[in-house]
Amino acid sequence: MVSRSAASSVMLGLRILALGASIATVIVIVTNNVKFIDGSKLKFQDIHSFRYVLAVAVIAAVYCIVQLPFAIHYALKQKRAISGELLKEFDFFADKVISVVLATGIAVGFAVPFEFKEFFDDIFDAAGVPKKDPTRTTNDKFYNHAIIASSVLSVAFVAMFVVSVLSSIHRSNAK
């Protein structure tokens, strides 16, 4: 069985990884802006689901920032900064909620760009627009950027999911 100090160090590392991935997702999604040859622009704010992915990444980053001092304290001292059952319960349930929220952000972040890409590819194909057309490649670039952001967010999800599982194990062993 894994020692308590090793588990707390792993959980700290995973929280840091989730924070980094969440911040990277924010950067990738916010920089997702393209300009077409006719001068029109498409920004991430124009697609509601991309704003949702941004909100999920910000929520996850804020949660990780809030949890980080407590995780550092626990990893170093092997005791909680705030004693009592309330913080244990909060950690247990909040880790699960954040994991689920991240999963919904990933689902939206993958589903919508793939659907829009397919939709616009069908329109471009029906209109006889070649694959190398600048408008078509710019459109694809915009949706590929969103898919990359969702891929980065999936790293945060996996890290938080493992933290959630480890906190469940830790909680069950403590009782």
Side-chain angles (χ1 to χ4, degrees):
M1 184 160 175
V2 178
S3 73
R4 198 162 138 178
S5 64
S8 62
S9 296
V10 167
M11 287 175 69
L12 173 61
L14 289 170
R15 286 188 192 280
I16 292 169
L17 177 63
L19 174 62
S22 297
I23 291 170
T25 299
V26 169
I27 292 167
V28 171
I29 202 78
V30 167
T31 60
N32 191 10
N33 304 308
V34 294
K35 185 174 182 181
F36 293 96
I37 56 173
D38 67 353
S40 62
K41 296 177 183 176
L42 187 56
K43 299 177 182 179
F44 82 93
Q45 301 100 313
D46 298 333
I47 310 293
H48 290 287
S49 64
F50 296 173
R51 285 190 267 170
Y52 180 75
V53 171
L54 176 65
V56 165
V58 167
I59 289 168
V62 168
Y63 175 73
C64 289
I65 289 170
V66 168
Q67 285 285 35
L68 208 53
F70 298 107
I72 291 169
H73 184 272
Y74 191 78
L76 293 175
K77 307 243 180 184
Q78 292 304 303
K79 64 179 189 175
R80 294 191 174 275
I82 300 172
S83 61
E85 292 297 313
L86 184 61
L87 188 59
K88 288 180 191 176
E89 294 296 314
F90 175 79
D91 287 349
F92 177 75
F93 289 109
D95 289 345
K96 282 153 188 45
V97 168
I98 292 298
S99 294
V100 170
V101 169
L102 283 165
T104 63
I106 294 165
V108 167
F110 279 127
V112 171
F114 279 120
E115 286 295 320
F116 277 0
K117 276 184 69 165
E118 186 178 323
F119 174 75
F120 284 115
D121 280 345
D122 290 346
I123 290 173
F124 287 135
D125 288 342
V129 177
K131 299 258 187 219
K132 298 289 184 189
D133 182 74
T135 301
R136 190 171 186 165
T137 57
T138 302
N139 189 60
D140 283 345
K141 177 184 170 192
F142 179 74
Y143 293 112
N144 287 339
H145 208 82
I147 292 167
I148 291 167
S150 298
S151 299
V152 174
L153 192 61
S154 67
V155 172
F157 164 73
V158 169
M160 284 308 301
F161 180 77
V162 173
V163 166
S164 174
V165 169
L166 290 175
S167 71
S168 296
I169 293 168
H170 184 321
R171 183 174 186 244
S172 65
N173 287 344
K175 289 187 176 187

